[in-house]
Amino acid sequence: PFRFKADNLIAWRGDLDGALAALARVVDESKFGDESFRTARGRLHLMRVILDAAAADFEAVGASDSALSGLRRVRASAVFSLAQVERRRGNQTRATELLAHALALGQKSRRDFPEEVGMLHLLAQIHAVRGEKADAAAAVADYVRLQTSKHAQQLAQNRLIKAEIFGLLGEADAAVVELRAVHDMGYGLGYTLRIGDQWALLRPHAKFQQLMKDAETRADAAGRRKK
C-alpha cells in the first residue's frame, strides 16, 4: 500500500519528498521484492537529483541475477536508469556503455521469454535514448500489436507509451497529440509531466506547457473534491 501511496503523491501532488517518506515506511522490503523496492526508491532519488543514492539502488539491482522474466526486466530497467544517472553526472562514455548493456539484457530476455510483452516498452525506451528512432518505433508497434486487451485503460496506456517514446526522441508535437488524447479520455496525468525525466525535452514547448497546466489543474481540482 505504501508503494501505491508514493505513486499517488507524485501524480496528484508532485510531492517527491512525501513519496520517498512513504517508501521509507516499508520496514520489510522483502514483502515487495528487494529489486522492485530499490528500483522505485532509486527512481525517486533520480527525480530529486540525489544521484549517489539513485546510483547505489540501481547498481544493486543491476548486479542481481535471476532466471525469472519479470526480474530480468527489473534488472535491465535498473541498468537503463543507471545510464540516466551517469548522463546527469556528465559521464557520457559510461552512460553509453550502460545503455548497450541494458539493450543486450533486454534483447536476451525477449529471446528467452517472447511472451513477456512488457520488455518491449523498455526496449523502446533504450532505443529512443540511443537515438535509434526506427528501432524504438518498431518496439512500440510490437508492444501495441501484442496487447490483447481492448479495455480503455490499456488503450490509454498504449498512447502514453507512444508519447513517452516521442518525448525521449524530442518530438514534441507528436508526443502532445498522444498525451492530449489520454488527458481527454479522462485519465489523470497530474504532476508526472513536470517531474518525469522522459518529458524533459518537451518542457520548453508551448503546447506541452499548456497540457502540463491542464493536467495539474485537474489534479488540484480532484484533490479539493476529496477533501
Side-chain angles (χ1 to χ4, degrees), residues 45-46 49-59 82 85-86 89:
H45 285 314
L46 179 57
V49 199
I50 306 176
L51 299 183
D52 289 347
D57 277 329
F58 294 140
E59 285 170 353
L82 185 57
V85 172
E86 293 302 332
R89 287 171 164 171

Side-chain angles (χ1 to χ4, degrees), residues 26-34 37-38 41:
V26 182
V27 177
D28 183 6
E29 297 180 11
S30 65
K31 288 190 299 185
F32 302 94
D34 187 57
F37 176 89
R38 282 182 174 271
R41 187 173 62 186

Side-chain angles (χ1 to χ4, degrees), residues 1-23:
F2 295 117
R3 288 279 304 280
F4 292 124
K5 182 176 181 180
D7 289 342
N8 286 334
L9 284 167
I10 293 170
W12 295 105
R13 298 185 190 175
D15 185 1
L16 294 175
D17 289 337
L20 192 58
L23 279 183

Side-chain angles (χ1 to χ4, degrees), residues 62-217:
S64 65
D65 190 15
S66 174
L68 299 176
S69 63
L71 291 181
R72 284 197 193 185
R73 176 155 51 93
V74 172
R75 181 188 178 197
S77 179
V79 175
F80 171 67
S81 296
L82 185 57
Q84 294 176 291
V85 172
E86 293 302 332
R87 191 168 55 173
R88 288 278 195 101
R89 287 171 164 171
N91 299 333
Q92 188 57 48
T93 299
R94 178 60 177 155
T96 300
E97 292 171 351
L98 287 165
L99 285 173
H101 182 37
L103 180 60
L105 289 172
Q107 290 174 332
K108 184 178 188 306
S109 185
R110 278 292 297 158
R111 291 193 297 269
D112 293 343
F113 301 98
E115 74 285 354
E116 218 286 287
V117 179
M119 184 62 82
L120 286 165
H121 178 197
L122 177 60
L123 287 172
Q125 291 174 307
I126 296 169
H127 283 306
V129 172
R130 283 163 57 99
E132 298 161 349
K133 182 177 179 179
D135 290 327
V140 172
D142 285 342
Y143 175 89
V144 172
R145 176 176 57 82
L146 293 172
Q147 290 292 347
T148 57
S149 173
K150 301 302 180 184
H151 191 277
Q153 187 172 3
Q154 183 60 57
L155 297 178
Q157 178 68 11
N158 292 347
R159 301 200 77 148
L160 191 59
I161 288 174
K162 289 179 182 178
E164 180 183 50
I165 301 310
F166 285 133
L168 292 172
L169 291 167
E171 299 183 8
D173 288 342
V176 170
V177 167
E178 301 295 339
L179 288 169
R180 177 61 70 178
V182 174
H183 179 81
D184 290 346
M185 289 171 72
Y187 290 93
L189 299 170
Y191 283 80
T192 58
L193 301 182
R194 185 176 298 278
I195 293 171
D197 268 7
Q198 67 270 47
W199 314 119
L201 295 177
L202 306 184
R203 291 192 188 111
H205 296 268
K207 290 181 180 179
F208 184 82
Q209 290 175 3
Q210 182 59 53
L211 177 59
M212 189 165 60
K213 179 181 178 181
D214 293 345
E216 291 173 5
T217 297

